[in-house]
Amino acid sequence: MGMVASICMEPIKRRRVEKDLDDKVADALRERTRSRQRTFRSVNSITMRLPRFKEGLRDIKDIFDQYDEDSDGTIDNEQLQSFLSKLQVQMSEKEMDNLHHYCDINSRNGIQFQEFVVLLCLMYLLFGPDVTRRVSEFESAKLNYVFDELIDAFIFFDKDGDGKMKRKDVTHRMNEASHQERTPSHITAQLFKEMDLNRNGMVDLKEFLYSMIRWAGHETEDDGSNEASP
């Protein structure tokens, strides 16, 4: 009976952990919005940065490969713990494990490249540039640049500033440039659908990051998707 109750409680615990991390990310985004000037003023300005994003992702892939000791495309749990301990952030082992599961979209053991990017970007948002400096002193400026741009691109779309992008936000941003023709509703609907990975009608930073990685053209061997970019 105790085992059954434990199994039933597991999804509730996961949702509680996910909401707690959602709240922390939203708070960090609000603080960032207050303390920084706007980086992007149009969807076009984000689209034009995609080649730079792709270049930054290549730098992160080099770091990922250093920890992927057997070159199988996955950093296993032991290698991941070694990587996270190097960052010296004030998190318990349980909190680190929760963050890992928060970034996990395929429930496979260890962490794959796209998940690694999302994990590192969220830690940069939550704990600041010391994270990237400890990852790679030499590459930290490049990492800071790509993470700043990715986070600021999300903030551009998050019109309410609550850490949850809605379809109306995407529609508004896609159509606010007065000199352009209005983007057809089926295009904005498809764009939002591609980002809304859990189909709950909202897109959080984690989902947005996965989409930006795809649109920048950095796909894993498992991901043959070729969805259109914004």
Side-chain angles (χ1 to χ4, degrees), residues 32 36 87 89 120-137 139-141 143-145 147-148:
R32 184 182 179 89
R36 284 173 59 94
L87 303 185
V89 295
L120 203 51
C121 187
L122 291 180
M123 294 193 77
Y124 174 74
L125 173 67
L126 294 171
F127 299 103
D130 277 352
V131 166
T132 49
R133 182 176 55 78
R134 288 168 184 146
V135 169
S136 172
E137 188 85 45
E139 299 286 359
S140 61
L143 297 180
N144 292 351
Y145 172 82
F147 290 148
D148 282 335

Side-chain angles (χ1 to χ4, degrees), residues 114 214-215 217 219-228:
Q114 291 181 335
R214 268 202 326 276
W215 292 332
E219 296 169 359
T220 63
E221 291 179 1
D222 294 339
D223 184 7
S225 63
N226 57 0
E227 289 96 336

Side-chain angles (χ1 to χ4, degrees), residues 1-18:
M1 187 71 179
M3 183 179 294
V4 172
S6 177
I7 292 172
C8 292
M9 286 295 292
E10 199 58 36
I12 298 173
K13 288 179 182 177
R14 279 200 300 270
R15 285 195 295 271
R16 191 178 301 136
V17 166
E18 182 140 340

Side-chain angles (χ1 to χ4, degrees), residues 177-192:
S178 58
H179 63 281
Q180 293 181 339
E181 289 186 19
R182 187 172 177 82
T183 305
S185 60
H186 73 276
I187 297 293
T188 56
Q190 178 62 29
L191 184 64
F192 187 81

Side-chain angles (χ1 to χ4, degrees), residues 16-217:
R16 191 178 301 136
V17 166
E18 182 140 340
K19 184 181 184 310
D20 181 52
L21 282 166
D22 278 343
D23 291 345
K24 287 179 180 177
V25 169
D27 287 344
L29 288 169
R30 277 191 286 268
E31 178 57 34
R32 184 182 179 89
T33 302
R34 283 194 294 267
S35 61
R36 284 173 59 94
Q37 288 187 326
R38 239 171 107 182
T39 302
F40 297 109
R41 299 192 176 276
S42 70
V43 172
N44 242 13
S45 63
I46 296 174
T47 304
M48 290 175 66
R49 302 288 179 92
L50 287 176
R52 295 287 296 272
F53 293 156
K54 186 170 184 176
E55 185 180 328
L57 290 172
R58 281 197 291 267
D59 293 328
I60 301 171
K61 183 65 165 63
D62 290 339
I63 295 168
F64 177 85
D65 289 342
Q66 293 172 24
Y67 289 91
D68 179 16
E69 296 173 2
D70 47 10
S71 302
D72 65 350
T74 297
I75 296 176
D76 66 32
N77 292 336
E78 186 176 333
Q79 293 164 349
L80 181 62
Q81 287 301 323
S82 171
F83 168 75
L84 291 174
S85 65
K86 181 179 178 179
L87 303 185
Q88 301 175 32
V89 295
Q90 292 187 340
M91 294 177 75
S92 67
E93 189 171 324
K94 180 65 176 172
E95 288 172 325
M96 287 185 179
D97 190 52
N98 287 339
L99 185 59
H100 168 210
H101 287 294
Y102 180 75
C103 299
D104 184 15
I105 58 167
N106 57 22
S107 300
R108 288 163 57 181
N109 287 331
I111 193 166
Q112 288 74 51
F113 173 66
Q114 291 181 335
E115 296 167 345
F116 181 78
V117 176
V118 174
L119 175 72
L120 203 51
C121 187
L122 291 180
M123 294 193 77
Y124 174 74
L125 173 67
L126 294 171
F127 299 103
D130 277 352
V131 166
T132 49
R133 182 176 55 78
R134 288 168 184 146
V135 169
S136 172
E137 188 85 45
F138 180 70
E139 299 286 359
S140 61
K142 292 181 180 179
L143 297 180
N144 292 351
Y145 172 82
V146 72
F147 290 148
D148 282 335
E149 298 275 282
L150 288 168
I151 294 166
D152 289 346
F154 177 82
I155 289 172
F156 171 81
F157 281 104
D158 180 19
K159 196 163 177 290
D160 296 335
D162 59 358
K164 299 288 184 184
M165 186 196 308
K166 291 85 174 173
R167 181 176 164 182
K168 64 181 176 64
D169 297 337
V170 177
T171 301
H172 172 78
R173 289 304 194 189
M174 294 286 285
N175 291 295
E176 66 181 348
S178 58
H179 63 281
Q180 293 181 339
E181 289 186 19
R182 187 172 177 82
T183 305
S185 60
H186 73 276
I187 297 293
T188 56
Q190 178 62 29
L191 184 64
F192 187 81
K193 183 179 178 181
E194 289 172 13
M195 292 189 286
D196 185 13
L197 299 179
N198 63 5
R199 300 292 185 260
N200 70 346
M202 295 180 289
V203 173
D204 59 21
L205 177 60
K206 172 180 64 175
E207 292 171 306
F208 180 78
L209 291 173
Y210 279 115
S211 300
M212 289 297 288
I213 294 167
R214 268 202 326 276
W215 292 332

